[in-house]
Amino acid sequence: MIIVFKPTATVEDKTRVKAQLENRGFQIHASNGVNSSLFGVVGDTSSLDMNLLLVYEGVEKVMRVQEPFKRANRAFHPKDTVVDVCGVPIGGKKIQVIAGPCSVESIEQITEVAEAVKASGASLLRGGAFKPRTSPYSFQGLKELGLDYLKAAREATGLPICTEIMSADKIERFVEDVDLIQVGARNMQNFELLKELGKTNKPILLKRGLAATIEEWIMSAEYIMAGGNENVILCERGIRTFEHYTRNTLDLSAIPAAKKLSHLPVVVDPSHAAGLWWMVEPLAKAAVAVGADGLLIEVHNNPECALCDGAQSLKPQRFDKLMGELKGIAQIVGREL
Ligand code: PEP
Ligand code: MN
């Protein structure tokens, strides 16, 4: 961290800052220029509040040299992390596809979709049981019954299951029954939930918040990892911008950025990014081209009648065609699918 002093800062101003930081165990390297002077703060500054330093008389600005996250930081862990989800490695050479409906609607629906996506090469089944809907009058999910149906679909197909958790009081049930626990965009900064998930050793799919910066997203991963759970997979699902043509704007640049900053695997969800089924195919291809380690794609056997997100869901035949086309793109970028 670097502290820049105002040209008017007095020796006393600097001594006060120096004493405070040395008290907290940091070393100070001072550098005095003609018009202003700097302090280089040496030590683990991740717990240091930059804004608090601005309160000191004489301080002009404070800059971080290192990111505020440690466990998720590639600088301290140069090799890619591979998260094992019941034998499915996420983050390795093979691009893994998580597919299924937005919501679990019936045992027939989830089993039929599970069988279809498995036949097309998906390696995990998704399906929401607890749904974070904008309106309290919209379908809220089958809840515990939805988890039972997901388990039945897993038994029928052998596909590990991924579903969203919305509150910490359900963790015990999720740890017991779910293979990959999804933290949705709306809960990305539910820090109490993240801390509780950090105490488990379950793989967590952490979606990027609707208006979260890349750093905030990785800081949320850091929350889970700080508790001891290093099995975190990041998921870019589009961010809110001024553009309303699409549901969100897929931030393709976030994929190479997150992979540069962090060693964690990055999965892309083109379905929630676009909100339009016909855009899922080109965005999924683009995601693979820019280095995604996996995809999360909504597939429904009858999207016209879906209880949630039908407009962005692919029919099984289109999903099958897309999986074939993605293989070629994966090969070009040195991956497998
Ligand atoms: C979902 O995956 O169904 C979902 C609600 O996603 P997000 O949190 O990205 O909106
Ligand atoms: Mn959805």
Side-chain angles (χ1 to χ4, degrees):
M1 186 178 277
I2 292 172
I3 301 173
V4 182
F5 288 93
K6 292 175 183 162
T8 53
T10 64
V11 174
E12 290 73 31
D13 291 338
K14 292 177 208 166
T15 310
R16 222 172 289 125
V17 175
K18 187 167 189 271
Q20 164 70 10
L21 290 168
E22 283 180 342
N23 248 340
R24 291 189 54 179
F26 296 105
Q27 278 186 326
I28 302 299
H29 290 203
S31 153
N32 294 309
V34 183
N35 293 317
S36 61
S37 44
L38 315 171
F39 276 1
V41 185
V42 181
D44 177 10
T45 56
S46 51
S47 63
L48 204 56
D49 184 348
M50 282 170 66
N51 293 329
L52 212 61
L53 289 166
L54 288 171
V55 176
Y56 282 87
E57 199 71 42
V59 172
E60 174 75 37
K61 59 180 168 184
V62 182
M63 292 173 286
R64 276 199 185 278
V65 179
Q66 211 170 60
E67 295 84 18
F69 44 91
K70 290 170 73 72
R71 287 174 169 82
N73 201 322
R74 194 180 277 281
F76 307 120
H77 187 298
K79 268 182 63 185
D80 287 340
T81 281
V82 178
V83 176
D84 185 291
V85 184
C86 290
V88 177
I90 303 187
K93 185 165 186 195
K94 187 169 188 308
I95 293 164
Q96 306 291 2
V97 180
I98 308 166
C102 181
S103 305
V104 179
E105 297 171 8
S106 68
I107 190 148
E108 293 77 19
Q109 173 243 21
I110 192 68
T111 315
E112 196 178 315
V113 177
E115 275 160 359
V117 298
K118 185 185 177 179
S120 302
S123 40
L124 282 102
L125 172 67
R126 66 147 283 146
F130 296 85
K131 294 304 304 175
R133 305 302 301 275
T134 302
S135 166
Y137 310 117
S138 300
F139 176 60
Q140 302 287 307
L142 295 181
K143 306 193 172 74
E144 276 83 1
L145 190 59
L147 295 181
D148 291 340
Y149 292 168
L150 276 168
K151 281 165 66 183
R154 174 176 62 194
E155 206 156 302
T157 58
L159 290 179
I161 52 178
C162 170
T163 193
E164 177 168 356
I165 193 163
M166 297 216 295
S167 60
D169 62 322
K170 297 287 186 300
I171 287 186
E172 217 174 304
R173 173 88 203 256
F174 271 66
V175 166
E176 179 79 22
D177 288 342
V178 177
D179 304 306
L180 174 59
I181 302 179
Q182 176 174 321
V183 174
R186 291 154 192 83
N187 271 312
M188 188 206 84
Q189 285 187 318
N190 181 341
F191 299 120
E192 290 308 314
L193 177 62
L194 301 179
K195 279 190 238 174
E196 290 303 317
L197 290 168
K199 294 178 191 162
T200 75
N201 60 3
K202 274 279 158 175
I204 310 293
L205 183 80
L206 178 66
K207 288 204 164 190
R208 181 177 179 187
L210 275 73
T213 64
I214 294 167
E215 185 171 291
E216 285 165 342
W217 181 29
I218 301 176
M219 285 306 283
S220 288
E222 187 78 12
Y223 257 94
I224 301 168
M225 299 173 87
N229 185 357
E230 308 248 321
N231 300 311
V232 182
I233 300 161
L234 299 167
C235 178
E236 160 63 35
R237 45 78 71 205
I239 49 171
R240 183 161 287 186
T241 68
F242 55 83
E243 182 55 69
H244 285 174
Y245 185 78
T246 45
R247 185 176 181 183
N248 292 287
T249 297
L250 181 63
D251 184 3
L252 281 174
S253 60
I255 299 130
K259 290 190 71 72
K260 184 178 199 305
L261 293 167
S262 177
H263 52 89
L264 297 173
V266 181
V267 162
V268 173
D269 170 357
S271 307
H272 290 88
L276 302 161
W277 67 266
W278 56 268
M279 216 184 261
V280 170
E281 176 209 309
L283 294 183
K285 290 176 178 170
V288 170
V290 296
D293 297 301
L295 294 167
L296 185 148
I297 296 178
E298 284 191 342
V299 179
H300 199 290
N301 50 355
N302 189 8
E304 294 87 349
C305 300
L307 296 180
C308 184
D309 289 350
Q312 66 194 34
S313 299
L314 294 186
K315 290 182 180 170
Q317 304 91 296
R318 284 196 190 273
F319 175 70
D320 190 65
K321 182 167 169 278
L322 171 62
M323 288 292 279
E325 292 170 2
L326 288 171
K327 280 192 203 326
I329 312 239
Q331 212 170 25
I332 290 168
V333 293
R335 307 288 291 263
E336 283 166 14
L337 191 133

